[in-house]
């Protein structure tokens, strides 16, 4: 058991699309993730996240990101898990695609969230990385429902959702950081998923599924 992936099988998981590679973030990847976030994700004061972590001072943001990665990793159990998938294009770290589930064995439901640095936006990569995550959870983990949400003003995120087949699933009013926000929920089933014209390539699925209790 000399390789880390033998101890933590998630580190052996890789999802590949025509342009992207998605794999769980390891400690060695954290500096690249921090650099990508510091390069800018959104316009100042217009955070698309419930927790405005990107608004932290530069000298605090990196440690906050590391804490989040470690917290999610430490809390991984078959009953509650969060896959934090880093996004790479030509060996450059571009962002993160999250897949979260609670009581997956019975609910067969996942929720997703993501971020992509500004320099990589507007090229269809956000849609491609979400399509990769959806292909994996539907075709390999046998999920029956994927849910997500976004602020109603976030037309870019909602546009990605509708282009993949999600349907609107109600809205609610909430406080995100200091702002009151109208939030749109969306939901997607495998049958409604508008699949890409490429096939996802997956490595390391079986040890990952076993680790997650499937």
């Amino acid at each position: 058991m000399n390789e880390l992936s033998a101890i933590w099988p998630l580190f052996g998981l890789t999802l590949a699309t025509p342009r992207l590679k998605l794999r769980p973030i390891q400690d060695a990847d954290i500096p690249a993730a921090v650099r990508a976030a510091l390069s800018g994700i959104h316009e100042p004061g217009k955070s698309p996240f419930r927790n405005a972590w990107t608004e932290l001072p530069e000298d605090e943001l990196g440690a906050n990101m590391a804490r989040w990665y470690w917290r999610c990793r430490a809390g991984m159990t078959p009953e509650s898990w969060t896959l934090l998938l880093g996004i790479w294009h030509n060996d450059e770290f571009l962002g993160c695609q999250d897949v979260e589930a609670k009581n997956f064995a019975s609910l067969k439901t996942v929720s997703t969230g993501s971020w992509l640095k500004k320099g990589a936006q507007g090229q269809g990569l956000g849609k491609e990385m979400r399509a990769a995550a959806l292909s994996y959870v539907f075709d390999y983990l046998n999920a029956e429902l994927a849910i997500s949400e976004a602020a109603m003003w976030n037309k870019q995120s909602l546009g990605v959702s509708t282009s993949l087949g999600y349907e609107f699933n109600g809205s609610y009013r909430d406080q995100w950081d200091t702002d009151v926000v109208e939030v749109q929920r969306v939901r997607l089933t495998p049958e409604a998923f508008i699949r890409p014209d490429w096939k996802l390539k997956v490595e390391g699925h079986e040890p990952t599924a076993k680790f997650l209790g499937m």
Side-chain angles (χ1 to χ4, degrees):
M1 196 173 283
N2 296 320
E3 295 184 2
L4 188 56
S5 60
I7 301 169
W8 196 257
L10 300 179
F11 286 155
L13 178 67
T14 301
L15 314 182
T17 75
R19 294 185 290 177
L20 303 174
K21 283 192 176 181
L22 295 75
R23 58 176 175 79
I25 294 173
Q26 300 188 29
D27 285 359
D29 303 319
I30 294 177
V34 173
R35 286 193 297 271
L38 288 174
S39 74
I41 298 173
H42 56 80
E43 297 300 323
K46 197 68 172 176
S47 173
F49 308 114
R50 178 184 300 278
N51 175 7
W53 59 273
T54 52
E55 304 282 3
L56 288 172
E58 184 173 328
D59 61 349
E60 297 179 18
L61 185 140
N64 185 69
M65 290 176 68
R67 289 189 194 98
W68 172 244
Y69 297 147
W70 293 331
R71 186 181 302 124
C72 289
R73 197 184 301 160
M76 292 281 288
T77 67
E79 294 74 33
S80 177
W81 48 264
T82 302
L83 278 176
L84 299 175
L85 300 170
I87 311 299
W88 279 264
H89 174 58
N90 293 333
D91 296 324
E92 179 185 4
F93 188 100
L94 302 183
C96 186
Q97 176 70 61
D98 302 351
V99 181
E100 181 179 0
K102 296 183 186 301
N103 300 319
F104 184 80
S106 56
L107 298 178
K108 301 294 185 182
T109 299
V110 300
S111 62
T112 64
S114 64
W115 63 267
L116 193 63
K117 73 176 190 175
K118 287 180 69 175
Q121 295 174 17
Q123 304 172 46
L125 298 176
K127 180 179 178 179
E128 190 168 324
M129 66 199 221
R130 180 110 65 99
L134 292 170
S135 296
Y136 182 64
V137 300
F138 286 148
D139 297 341
Y140 288 81
L141 300 184
N142 298 317
E144 298 174 0
L145 183 66
I147 59 175
S148 189
E149 63 181 30
M152 284 193 176
W153 58 259
N154 193 347
K155 303 303 182 185
Q156 186 175 11
S157 176
L158 292 174
V160 168
S161 295
T162 55
S163 72
L164 290 169
Y166 286 81
E167 62 179 7
F168 289 165
N169 190 35
S171 62
Y172 66 98
R173 200 168 190 233
D174 200 7
Q175 183 164 332
W176 289 14
D177 199 43
T178 59
D179 296 328
V180 175
V181 178
E182 292 288 337
V183 184
Q184 178 68 60
R185 294 189 179 100
V186 294
R187 72 193 301 273
L188 179 69
T189 62
E191 296 77 20
F193 179 28
I194 300 175
R195 294 179 174 274
D197 58 4
W198 42 263
K199 185 173 177 61
L200 184 69
K201 297 179 180 179
V202 178
E203 295 180 3
H205 165 65
E206 290 186 4
T208 295
K210 183 178 180 181
F211 186 80
L212 295 177
M214 301 176 198

